[in-house]
């Protein structure tokens, strides 16, 4: 009977220990986010609300990693003149000037034709699992599901830097 109790206690402790261990996905995310921080990204988990897609009653709400790069190339006049915008990879009515499958949540009809061209180029560089882009006077952000792996981190950075250099 004593041996049974000892085995039960040991297996309970081992089970608890195994339950606390990070999963393979969590280990991958930690390594990816550490690599991103070394590349200059700020990584945060944010609650993201997409615009209402065609045929839906409400927009999709989910927690998504936000990969942000600071804007360091704007003077005070440019910061005050810059208007924030958000685009999402969703088919909706507010899609003027965007590639197929992308829609505006904020900022429709605010960008010039040349700025829209830079945005098109930046979107074409994005990994397929980026769900949204955001631009403010302080930073540019890609909301990325991270499923395409760390090999796409360089493409993500190139896309966001294109937006920073284009000052949109």
């Amino acid at each position: 009977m004593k041996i049974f109790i000892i085995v039960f206690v040991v297996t309970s402790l081992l089970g608890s220990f195994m339950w606390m261990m990070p999963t393979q996905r969590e280990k991958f995310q930690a390594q990816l986010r550490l690599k991103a921080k070394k590349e200059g990204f700020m990584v945060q988990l944010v609650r993201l609300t997409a615009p209402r897609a065609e045929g839906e009653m409400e927009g999709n709400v989910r927690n998504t990693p936000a990969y942000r790069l600071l804007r360091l190339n704007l003077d005070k006049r440019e910061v005050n003149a810059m208007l924030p915008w958000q685009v999402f990879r969703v088919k909706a009515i507010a899609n003027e000037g965007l590639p197929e499958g992308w829609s505006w949540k904020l900022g429709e009809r605010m960008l010039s034709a040349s700025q829209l061209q830079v945005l098109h180029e930046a979107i074409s560089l994005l990994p397929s699992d980026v769900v949204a882009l955001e631009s403010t006077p302080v930073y540019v952000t890609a909301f990325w599901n991270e499923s395409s792996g760390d090999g796409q981190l360089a493409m993500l950075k190139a896309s966001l830097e294109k937006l920073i250099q284009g000052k949109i």
Side-chain angles (χ1 to χ4, degrees), residues 1-12:
M1 183 68 168
K2 290 180 185 179
I3 293 177
F4 176 73
I5 293 173
I6 292 171
V7 169
F8 178 74
V9 169
V10 170
T11 55
S12 292

Side-chain angles (χ1 to χ4, degrees), residues 113-123 159 162-168:
S114 61
Q115 289 174 320
L116 284 173
Q117 180 61 35
V118 173
L119 180 57
H120 273 260
E121 292 170 12
I123 287 174
S159 176
K162 187 170 280 295
L163 295 173
I164 290 171
Q165 296 304 316
K167 296 184 179 183
I168 63 167

Side-chain angles (χ1 to χ4, degrees), residues 72-84:
L72 302 174
N73 64 338
L74 299 177
D75 61 30
K76 188 171 184 162
R77 181 186 54 81
E78 291 171 320
V79 167
N80 292 333
M82 182 172 276
L83 297 171

Side-chain angles (χ1 to χ4, degrees), residues 145-160:
N145 287 334
E146 303 170 327
S147 60
S148 58
D150 64 349
Q152 296 295 316
L153 190 59
M155 293 301 290
L156 185 69
K157 186 172 184 178
S159 176
L160 294 183

Side-chain angles (χ1 to χ4, degrees), residues 82-101:
M82 182 172 276
L83 297 171
W85 53 264
Q86 283 184 334
V87 294
F88 282 76
R89 191 185 300 263
V90 65
K91 188 174 182 181
I93 295 171
N95 60 4
E96 186 176 318
L98 293 176
E100 181 70 28

